[in-house]
Structure formats: C-alpha cells, structure tokens
Amino acid sequence: MAAVAATAPRAAGGLDLGPAQIVRAGEAYLQVPGYSVPSLAFWNGDAIPDLIVGEGGGGFDGKVRVYLNHGTPGAPQFSDYAYVVSGTADLVCPPAGCLGAFPRAAYWDADPRKDLLVGLSDGTVRLYTNTGSDTAPTFDAGRPLQVGPPGSKTDIDVGTRAAPIVADWDGDGLKDLVAGGYDGFVRVFLNEGTDAAPDFRAEVFAMKTGGAVYVGYRSSPVFADADGDGLRDLLSGDTEGRIWLFRNVGTALAPQFDEPVFVTAGGAAIDLTGLARSRPFACDWNADGRLDLLVGAGDGLVRLYPGLPEPATLLLAAAGLGGVAAGRWRRRLRLCHEAS
C-alpha cells in the first residue's frame, strides 16, 4: 500500500487515565536495555498475572524478561527476573534500530501450554512452541509464521518492526493475527484453519471510515473496549510516543474504525519524549475493574497509566447502585483479555 498522510486526531480524548506511574522492580525503576515492550501473562500458574518485557534494539540483543508477580492480583510486586529460554540458552532475537524482541504469550496450538509469539525487527513474526510445561515454560528454536494459499506460503513480513497481537478479529471463535509495523499501518491475517492449527491465507489492512488505519510510523496495536459498547476498539502506539484510539463503529464480526483521537492521561494527551516508540498493552493492572495501559518506550522503562473512575460510576457506587457500571467495565476487560 502506498504511503499516505496520517489523519490528525480531532482532539486529545478517549480513555480517562491518570498520570504515568513508573513500574518498579524492588526499590528501583524497572528498566531494560534498549526499548521496552511490556505485557501481562499468567506465566507460572499461580493465577496472579506476571510481567513480560521484551528488550533490545539500540545496540542491545533482543531478549524477553519474565518478572514473576509476588504480590497479589490487586497489588502487583516484582523484584528479580529471568530470561525466556529457547533450547538450552536465552532466547535471543536479532536487533535492529528501535526493536529487539516484541513478545506476546498465546495458547497457539492444541496443547494446554502457552507458547510465545515474537515480532522481529526485520518485520517477520516468529512462533516459539512451549516444550516445557504451562507453569514452567521453555521454548523450541522457533519458526516464522506464514501466509498464503496451501503450497505457496511465504513468511509473514510487515516490512520492519513487527508488532503482533492475537485477537479474534471477525468473531468466528478462531484466533487471528494482527500486526503493526514501521510503515504505520495495521495488518490483519484471518485464520482460515482451526483454533488449534491456524492457517493464514491472505493479508488485509484494518480500515477506518476514511481509509486504512494509519498512525504515521511504528504502529503497535492492542485491543480493548474503550467506550463500553461491547465492541473491541483499536489502540496503537507510534514513533512519537503517543497512543491513538480508533473506536469500532462497525460490528464484532466486521470491525470498522472511526477517525482517531489521542488517548489522554492526567488531562493531557500521552506524548512521550525522546526516541519514544510507544508500545502499549491494555490490562486491568490492579484488579479494580477499570481499564489500564502499560506502555513501553525507548528509555527502557515501563509506564502504567491507571484507569480513573467514570463520574457515573462514582455516583452509582455512592448510592449503592454500582453494579451496572461495574458490569460494563467487566465486559470491557473481558474483551481486552480475550484479545491478548
């Protein structure tokens, strides 16, 4: 697709988030070498979400850190970390520019063990199959995911800086693959196989009312129900450290997105400084029923933007009638977690 000009968001708005908090590991800020790519996953089977952070780029090898959560679901605490292992050594991805490893845990095949997808700086997406257990994962040497008709498949390649996420794009109950890249577009690979054996036949672009979804450079997509209407909305990071929100004005089976707005935090649009390369992950960090954002960036830190209570939620809670609003947030978070 030819390069186009990014549509300027109408105004800062969207999710109502509080000011950034820097995630800590022990007494110090959690900081990785190179560019950070955070996500949450139930890594060791204790039902408390753990923190997975890709690192590298900027002259550093691409590796994947796991910080086990020794706090509670409502109060995460992290200290030491271990690197993800591939074979008998640390999993290492060839770094280039602003990306080392872009990891996403996913149950990819028919067995009950989590696997690992990793977006690479060269634009490909690699699947590392779990050869250990679900509670103590170790991984094989990996293989590139492919797209195309049977007998003519080629490696998925978004150009450079692959940023993958697993989601059921078209509501058919099968996992699909969505990927951002350096060119700022968001690509969708629909699964035409089974949930246990995904088969991607074609690549299409995520679309908004005015054309293709486009953020300028370095799209990094995630999904969450940002407006409480029961549909997954699309959020993306970009080169400049902003977070774009594209609301789904289509359906669950055929997503179509509105013109974007910038996500705000503390009353101002998120806009990180330096070589930011914002890479967001939607979650419920503190188990309060509100949507939060983790954001990785070029300084190696991981920022948490906590969701703020909606005014209506506060009023209902004060009157003892908070169930409706709380239920709406639970639906938002379910959509977010299913996408991740």
Side-chain angles (χ1 to χ4, degrees), residues 59 73 78 138 175 203 215 221 239 246 268 271 275 298 330:
F78 307 100
T138 58
K175 64 174 73 70
E203 167 192 299
V215 302
T239 292
F246 299 83
D271 190 5
L275 299 174
R330 282 194 291 271

Side-chain angles (χ1 to χ4, degrees), residues 268-321:
I270 296 172
D271 190 5
L272 305 180
T273 59
L275 299 174
R277 282 57 167 158
S278 49
R279 274 118 187 193
F281 184 81
C283 63
D284 182 6
W285 176 261
N286 52 6
D288 64 356
R290 292 190 288 270
L291 193 63
D292 309 310
L293 280 185
L294 290 175
V295 179
D299 56 13
L301 299 170
V302 175
R303 291 167 173 82
L304 167 68
Y305 294 91
L308 298 177
E310 294 175 305
T313 305
L314 291 174
L315 292 172
L316 288 168
L321 301 171

Side-chain angles (χ1 to χ4, degrees), residues 147-168:
V147 62
S152 301
K153 291 190 179 294
T154 58
D155 293 350
I156 287 173
D157 188 350
V158 302
T160 57
R161 315 298 188 263
I165 189 100
V166 176
D168 181 4

Side-chain angles (χ1 to χ4, degrees), residues 234-286:
L234 172 64
L235 298 98
S236 178
D238 72 0
T239 292
E240 305 301 329
R242 300 166 298 196
I243 307 295
W244 301 58
L245 169 60
F246 299 83
R247 292 187 177 89
N248 187 354
V249 294
T251 68
L253 304 183
Q256 175 85 14
F257 300 99
D258 200 357
E259 295 298 331
V261 295
F262 283 141
V263 173
T264 62
I270 296 172
D271 190 5
L272 305 180
T273 59
L275 299 174
R277 282 57 167 158
S278 49
R279 274 118 187 193
F281 184 81
C283 63
D284 182 6
W285 176 261
N286 52 6

Side-chain angles (χ1 to χ4, degrees), residues 93-324:
C93 302
C98 65
L99 188 62
F102 193 109
R104 293 287 190 246
Y107 289 89
W108 193 259
D109 49 29
D111 67 44
R113 299 174 293 182
K114 68 179 71 65
D115 305 303
L116 193 67
L117 289 179
V118 182
L120 302 183
S121 60
D122 65 2
T124 61
V125 179
R126 200 165 183 87
L127 170 66
Y128 292 87
T129 301
N130 188 349
T131 56
S133 68
D134 194 48
T135 58
T138 58
F139 300 94
D140 66 7
R143 62 178 176 84
L145 293 184
Q146 295 193 316
V147 62
S152 301
K153 291 190 179 294
T154 58
D155 293 350
I156 287 173
D157 188 350
V158 302
T160 57
R161 315 298 188 263
I165 189 100
V166 176
D168 181 4
W169 179 265
D170 54 0
D172 63 359
L174 304 180
K175 64 174 73 70
D176 306 307
L177 182 70
V178 181
Y182 177 84
D183 64 7
F185 294 104
V186 174
R187 291 167 170 81
V188 180
F189 302 87
L190 292 178
N191 182 1
E192 299 184 45
T194 67
D195 202 50
D199 182 11
F200 305 116
R201 302 288 180 89
E203 167 192 299
V204 298
F205 288 88
M207 301 298 292
K208 60 180 178 62
T209 51
V213 168
Y214 181 64
V215 302
Y217 293 100
R218 296 179 176 87
S219 53
S220 178
V222 293
F223 296 91
D225 182 8
D227 53 12
D229 64 357
L231 300 176
R232 286 193 187 100
D233 304 304
L234 172 64
L235 298 98
S236 178
D238 72 0
T239 292
E240 305 301 329
R242 300 166 298 196
I243 307 295
W244 301 58
L245 169 60
F246 299 83
R247 292 187 177 89
N248 187 354
V249 294
T251 68
L253 304 183
Q256 175 85 14
F257 300 99
D258 200 357
E259 295 298 331
V261 295
F262 283 141
V263 173
T264 62
I270 296 172
D271 190 5
L272 305 180
T273 59
L275 299 174
R277 282 57 167 158
S278 49
R279 274 118 187 193
F281 184 81
C283 63
D284 182 6
W285 176 261
N286 52 6
D288 64 356
R290 292 190 288 270
L291 193 63
D292 309 310
L293 280 185
L294 290 175
V295 179
D299 56 13
L301 299 170
V302 175
R303 291 167 173 82
L304 167 68
Y305 294 91
L308 298 177
E310 294 175 305
T313 305
L314 291 174
L315 292 172
L316 288 168
L321 301 171
V324 174

